[in-house]
Amino acid sequence: MRPIKISVTKIVDMILRCGDIDNRFNDSSAMHKGAIAHRYIQKRQKESGENYNHEVSLKHEIEIDGIPVILQGRADGIITNDDGSFIVDEIKSTTMPLEHIYKQHPQHLAQGKCYAYMYLQTLENPPKTIGVQLTYFHLESEEIQRHKFDFALEDLASFFEGLLSKYAMWLRLEREWKILRDESITKTTFPFEAFRKGQRELAIATYRAISAQKKLYASAPTGIGKTLSTIFPSIKAMAEGKAEKIFYLTAKTITRKAAEDAVRLMAQKGLRFKSITLRAKEKICPNEECICNPEHCPYAKGHYDRVNDALMDMLEHDIITPDVTLKYAKDHMVCPHELGLDAAVWCDLVAGDYNHVFDPAAYLHRFFGNEKKSEEKNYIFLIDEAHNLAERVRSMYSATLRKSAFSYVLNRLKDKNALSKEVRKTLRQVNVYLKEMVKKHEQARSNVEQDMDMDFKALIILFGAAAEQWLASKENSDREIYGEILNLYFETTKFLMISDIYDEHYTYISEISGADIAITLFCLNPSNIIADRLERGKSSILFSATLAPLQYYKEILGGSDEDLIMSLPSPFDPSRLLTIVHSGISTKYHDREASYAPIAEAINVVASGRKGNYMCFFPSYEYMQKVHDLFCENYPGIKTLPQKSGMTEEERIEFLTQFDCSNPETLVGFVVLGGIFSEGIDLKGDRLIGSIIVSVGIPKINLRQDQIRNYFDKKYNRGYDYSYVFPGMNKVLQAAGRVIRTEEDSGIVLLIDSRYATPVYRNLMPRHWEDIHIVRNIEDLEKLIEDKAWIF
């Protein structure tokens, strides 16, 4: 029987947690700052002359209820006194007042007692007593408090055994489940009689990458069945001990459901496998306003007193959807977000957003809380829609603060108490400083520097410390302005966290708008951050239908020379897609006004070739509206459906419902390229028979994109490609990919822009577009549509 590896922290948190959820002191940068604080305290201890051994790894093999267990942990410090006695030092850093955190000391002390007992077991002649020291460090004031306790060996042994006996039922649950799961995995076969074209190749490559503990970057077109091709071999690897947990990460909710569906499909064939789909806190919160503290939320009050019962009940399910999580949370009056995170610890597959692994403010601390890569964490990352990851991570690791946000709070915070006065004082200091920045740069309206403004950072630190004390005061918890101060506090803590990792891959941007100024720490190249986060797992599979050019995506997504790449051809018959480039129309900004009529005419030619549903993609709302208005005026016999700005979820669903295969007349949708209808929608069969794509999709030229361009010009001498061409072409490929979704589908893709005929863009087109047709005028387009009408 293979022993189960468990951390001391997991057991202590599971058995001894109690009380409320309270996010008023949660600092998004606390983990990063905490690691620095630990090193700072450990260094001071060493310099004090004490014999201080830091970061002591401990391992203890034991049987709990007949189950072999390897208990693991890391003591922050072991002090050896001159008389031969020992003290285990447990360091806790915090942003909350020290008197608040000391109320949680039973859990902290329990962790220290476990480490003390485990350490004594490593000694040949252990002493009869040992000390446990709780060292509390306040991250802002740098105040240190220490609380020391002495314990006899027999008392520690009794405490240790009692704690483990309470954990036994959870251990049995885990052990029995893994035996059942692994037996079912070995019997599970691929859920279909045959693999699709390319599906077997992707599954084999995924399994080999997992076995070799490497990253795989796979460009796999629509129709291969990427979700099943990556999940199936990952599950097989899990039964062989090559994986402890699978994280399926994606940018969109609908793709997370695809992971659920893949597991459900295999479950129908006998697989027993626990999966959970996580949803963002704001989306699963049952309250109108998501404020996570006991004064505002009944689910937060006493959450930890009830959550273990809720968790045990919910784990009766194998496939845990957000609806299931919400049901059990309401039944037991606990926070559904925290319940879902707890359940993820006991599940085999966790489906969620990119931010669960990558976002510094939202990543899953239960799995990735340790700053160091743990050799024990045998995780697999399956990253779908990987073409979106670089931009998402760039956004996660950039931070902006605006003068108007500080002014707003300053103008509304009127009371005279001492804490409010201190907050107002720091707000005025920030305001005065930013006013001077506006004067300094008002002529240029923007300024870009490599070096970060440390004076501004110092002022933000002062505000954060004052706001923290204000938020901690119970008398302020019901104040109307509480939410605004809390939001500003979170914005500043993110800014400070990013400032701590600011390096040559960043730039410091000041932008003026009227009397307001925005200060941004802008991430130019997220590749190192992505690579570092992927080190939290043993293997990563990054895949997309549009991961091209592969070398670019491998570089920007943190790949190295030893990582694997593969590019699969489309499984569909290329003759069922008519791909046309209209190179006689320029959509460059200065040519756009002249392009409205020719584009409207080209849309009419395509839409008149065959009755059906079409989508026309434009680089902006303004461009779309201009052509749409002209199209309706010139061709009133064709029904149109324009995308509205800021559509709700219900409006999006209603929009897509209009694309019905039974429509009695032709429908032409006018939408924005790169927007909500460009990817992630699946209009099969005659629900969509054509995509007309206007422009090459390059991002709008602006200050940030130009900074990315300058950076990659210096790095690879390909700045324009990296900042404009490649991201733009990806939007085009995504929009074009809406047409052919199954083997029975057929349709047309019309690309309108003179640049598509150039070698730069021809080289970026997928292999199944080899038989592409280039026309330069409307007459040639009409003739081609007429000649090729048989493919429809």
Short mmCIF file of all heavy atoms in Angstrom, two decimals, residues 245 247 276 278 311 314-315 320 338-350 364 366-367:
data_model
loop_
_atom_site.label_atom_id
_atom_site.label_comp_id
_atom_site.label_asym_id
_atom_site.label_seq_id
_atom_site.Cartn_x
_atom_site.Cartn_y
_atom_site.Cartn_z
N LYS A 245 -2.93 15.63 -9.23
CA LYS A 245 -4.12 16.41 -9.47
C LYS A 245 -3.99 17.06 -10.84
O LYS A 245 -2.89 17.38 -11.29
CB LYS A 245 -4.30 17.49 -8.39
CG LYS A 245 -5.69 18.13 -8.36
CD LYS A 245 -5.83 19.08 -7.20
CE LYS A 245 -5.73 18.41 -5.86
NZ LYS A 245 -6.95 17.62 -5.54
N PHE A 247 -5.29 20.26 -13.21
CA PHE A 247 -5.94 21.57 -13.27
C PHE A 247 -6.25 21.88 -14.73
O PHE A 247 -5.32 21.95 -15.56
CB PHE A 247 -5.03 22.65 -12.68
CG PHE A 247 -4.83 22.53 -11.20
CD1 PHE A 247 -3.80 21.75 -10.69
CD2 PHE A 247 -5.68 23.17 -10.31
CE1 PHE A 247 -3.61 21.62 -9.33
CE2 PHE A 247 -5.51 23.04 -8.95
CZ PHE A 247 -4.48 22.26 -8.46
N ILE A 276 -14.30 19.19 -9.95
CA ILE A 276 -15.04 20.36 -9.48
C ILE A 276 -14.78 21.51 -10.44
O ILE A 276 -13.66 21.69 -10.91
CB ILE A 276 -14.67 20.76 -8.04
CG1 ILE A 276 -15.56 21.92 -7.57
CG2 ILE A 276 -13.20 21.11 -7.90
CD1 ILE A 276 -15.51 22.17 -6.09
N LEU A 278 -14.80 25.46 -10.61
CA LEU A 278 -14.79 26.65 -9.75
C LEU A 278 -15.34 27.85 -10.50
O LEU A 278 -15.13 28.00 -11.70
CB LEU A 278 -13.38 26.94 -9.26
CG LEU A 278 -12.70 25.85 -8.43
CD1 LEU A 278 -11.29 26.27 -8.06
CD2 LEU A 278 -13.51 25.52 -7.18
N LEU A 311 -18.69 20.11 3.62
CA LEU A 311 -17.75 19.47 2.71
C LEU A 311 -17.97 17.96 2.65
O LEU A 311 -18.01 17.37 1.57
CB LEU A 311 -16.32 19.79 3.18
CG LEU A 311 -15.18 19.19 2.36
CD1 LEU A 311 -15.22 19.71 0.92
CD2 LEU A 311 -13.84 19.54 3.00
N MET A 314 -21.03 17.28 0.56
CA MET A 314 -20.90 17.58 -0.86
C MET A 314 -20.02 16.57 -1.59
O MET A 314 -20.20 16.31 -2.79
CB MET A 314 -20.36 19.00 -1.05
CG MET A 314 -20.49 19.49 -2.50
SD MET A 314 -20.19 21.26 -2.68
CE MET A 314 -18.41 21.33 -2.60
N LEU A 315 -19.07 15.98 -0.88
CA LEU A 315 -18.16 15.03 -1.52
C LEU A 315 -18.84 13.70 -1.86
O LEU A 315 -18.20 12.80 -2.41
CB LEU A 315 -16.93 14.79 -0.63
CG LEU A 315 -15.95 15.97 -0.56
CD1 LEU A 315 -14.82 15.67 0.42
CD2 LEU A 315 -15.37 16.29 -1.95
N ILE A 320 -18.79 17.86 -9.37
CA ILE A 320 -19.31 18.97 -8.57
C ILE A 320 -19.35 20.22 -9.44
O ILE A 320 -18.31 20.82 -9.73
CB ILE A 320 -18.47 19.19 -7.31
CG1 ILE A 320 -18.41 17.91 -6.46
CG2 ILE A 320 -19.02 20.35 -6.48
CD1 ILE A 320 -17.47 17.99 -5.28
N GLU A 338 -15.58 29.60 -0.70
CA GLU A 338 -14.62 28.89 0.14
C GLU A 338 -14.91 27.40 0.19
O GLU A 338 -14.00 26.57 0.24
CB GLU A 338 -14.64 29.48 1.55
CG GLU A 338 -14.03 30.87 1.65
CD GLU A 338 -12.55 30.90 1.34
OE1 GLU A 338 -11.84 29.94 1.73
OE2 GLU A 338 -12.09 31.86 0.70
N LEU A 339 -16.18 27.03 0.17
CA LEU A 339 -16.55 25.61 0.15
C LEU A 339 -16.00 24.95 -1.12
O LEU A 339 -15.47 23.84 -1.07
CB LEU A 339 -18.07 25.45 0.22
CG LEU A 339 -18.61 24.02 0.10
CD1 LEU A 339 -18.08 23.14 1.23
CD2 LEU A 339 -20.13 24.02 0.09
N GLY A 340 -16.13 25.63 -2.26
CA GLY A 340 -15.61 25.09 -3.51
C GLY A 340 -14.10 24.92 -3.46
O GLY A 340 -13.56 23.90 -3.93
N LEU A 341 -13.40 25.90 -2.87
CA LEU A 341 -11.95 25.80 -2.76
C LEU A 341 -11.54 24.64 -1.85
O LEU A 341 -10.57 23.93 -2.13
CB LEU A 341 -11.37 27.12 -2.25
CG LEU A 341 -11.56 28.34 -3.16
CD1 LEU A 341 -10.95 29.57 -2.51
CD2 LEU A 341 -10.96 28.11 -4.53
N ASP A 342 -12.28 24.45 -0.77
CA ASP A 342 -12.00 23.32 0.12
C ASP A 342 -12.23 21.99 -0.60
O ASP A 342 -11.44 21.05 -0.48
CB ASP A 342 -12.90 23.38 1.35
CG ASP A 342 -12.33 24.28 2.44
OD1 ASP A 342 -11.17 24.68 2.34
OD2 ASP A 342 -13.07 24.60 3.39
N ALA A 343 -13.32 21.92 -1.35
CA ALA A 343 -13.64 20.68 -2.07
C ALA A 343 -12.57 20.36 -3.11
O ALA A 343 -12.29 19.18 -3.39
CB ALA A 343 -15.02 20.79 -2.72
N ALA A 344 -11.97 21.40 -3.70
CA ALA A 344 -10.95 21.19 -4.72
C ALA A 344 -9.78 20.37 -4.19
O ALA A 344 -9.13 19.62 -4.93
CB ALA A 344 -10.46 22.53 -5.25
N VAL A 345 -9.50 20.50 -2.89
CA VAL A 345 -8.41 19.74 -2.28
C VAL A 345 -8.68 18.23 -2.39
O VAL A 345 -7.76 17.43 -2.52
CB VAL A 345 -8.23 20.15 -0.80
CG1 VAL A 345 -7.20 19.28 -0.10
CG2 VAL A 345 -7.84 21.63 -0.72
N TRP A 346 -9.95 17.85 -2.36
CA TRP A 346 -10.33 16.44 -2.34
C TRP A 346 -10.74 15.93 -3.72
O TRP A 346 -11.09 14.75 -3.87
CB TRP A 346 -11.48 16.23 -1.37
CG TRP A 346 -11.12 16.69 0.01
CD1 TRP A 346 -11.28 17.94 0.52
CD2 TRP A 346 -10.45 15.94 1.01
NE1 TRP A 346 -10.77 18.01 1.80
CE2 TRP A 346 -10.26 16.79 2.13
CE3 TRP A 346 -10.00 14.62 1.10
CZ2 TRP A 346 -9.64 16.36 3.30
CZ3 TRP A 346 -9.39 14.19 2.27
CH2 TRP A 346 -9.21 15.07 3.35
N CYS A 347 -10.67 16.79 -4.73
CA CYS A 347 -11.05 16.39 -6.09
C CYS A 347 -9.81 16.07 -6.92
O CYS A 347 -8.71 16.54 -6.64
CB CYS A 347 -11.87 17.49 -6.76
SG CYS A 347 -13.53 17.66 -6.08
N ASP A 348 -10.03 15.28 -7.96
CA ASP A 348 -8.93 14.85 -8.83
C ASP A 348 -8.68 15.84 -9.96
O ASP A 348 -7.55 15.98 -10.42
CB ASP A 348 -9.25 13.48 -9.42
CG ASP A 348 -9.64 12.48 -8.35
OD1 ASP A 348 -8.84 12.29 -7.41
OD2 ASP A 348 -10.75 11.91 -8.43
N LEU A 349 -9.74 16.50 -10.41
CA LEU A 349 -9.61 17.49 -11.47
C LEU A 349 -10.30 18.78 -11.02
O LEU A 349 -11.43 18.75 -10.53
CB LEU A 349 -10.24 17.00 -12.78
CG LEU A 349 -10.12 17.93 -13.99
CD1 LEU A 349 -9.93 17.13 -15.28
CD2 LEU A 349 -11.34 18.85 -14.15
N VAL A 350 -9.59 19.88 -11.17
CA VAL A 350 -10.12 21.20 -10.83
C VAL A 350 -10.19 22.01 -12.11
O VAL A 350 -9.16 22.28 -12.75
CB VAL A 350 -9.23 21.92 -9.80
CG1 VAL A 350 -9.80 23.30 -9.46
CG2 VAL A 350 -9.07 21.07 -8.54
N LEU A 364 -4.76 29.80 -6.15
CA LEU A 364 -5.21 28.87 -5.12
C LEU A 364 -4.09 28.62 -4.11
O LEU A 364 -3.22 27.78 -4.31
CB LEU A 364 -5.65 27.55 -5.77
CG LEU A 364 -6.79 27.66 -6.78
CD1 LEU A 364 -7.04 26.32 -7.45
CD2 LEU A 364 -8.05 28.19 -6.12
N ARG A 366 -4.18 27.14 -1.39
CA ARG A 366 -4.20 25.80 -0.83
C ARG A 366 -3.22 24.88 -1.56
O ARG A 366 -2.71 23.92 -0.99
CB ARG A 366 -5.60 25.20 -0.93
CG ARG A 366 -6.61 25.81 0.04
CD ARG A 366 -8.03 25.50 -0.42
NE ARG A 366 -9.04 25.93 0.53
CZ ARG A 366 -9.48 27.17 0.62
NH1 ARG A 366 -8.96 28.10 -0.14
NH2 ARG A 366 -10.42 27.50 1.49
N PHE A 367 -2.97 25.17 -2.83
CA PHE A 367 -2.09 24.33 -3.63
C PHE A 367 -0.74 24.99 -3.94
O PHE A 367 0.27 24.31 -4.07
CB PHE A 367 -2.75 23.97 -4.97
CG PHE A 367 -4.09 23.32 -4.81
CD1 PHE A 367 -5.26 24.03 -5.01
CD2 PHE A 367 -4.19 22.00 -4.43
CE1 PHE A 367 -6.49 23.44 -4.85
CE2 PHE A 367 -5.42 21.39 -4.27
CZ PHE A 367 -6.58 22.11 -4.48
#
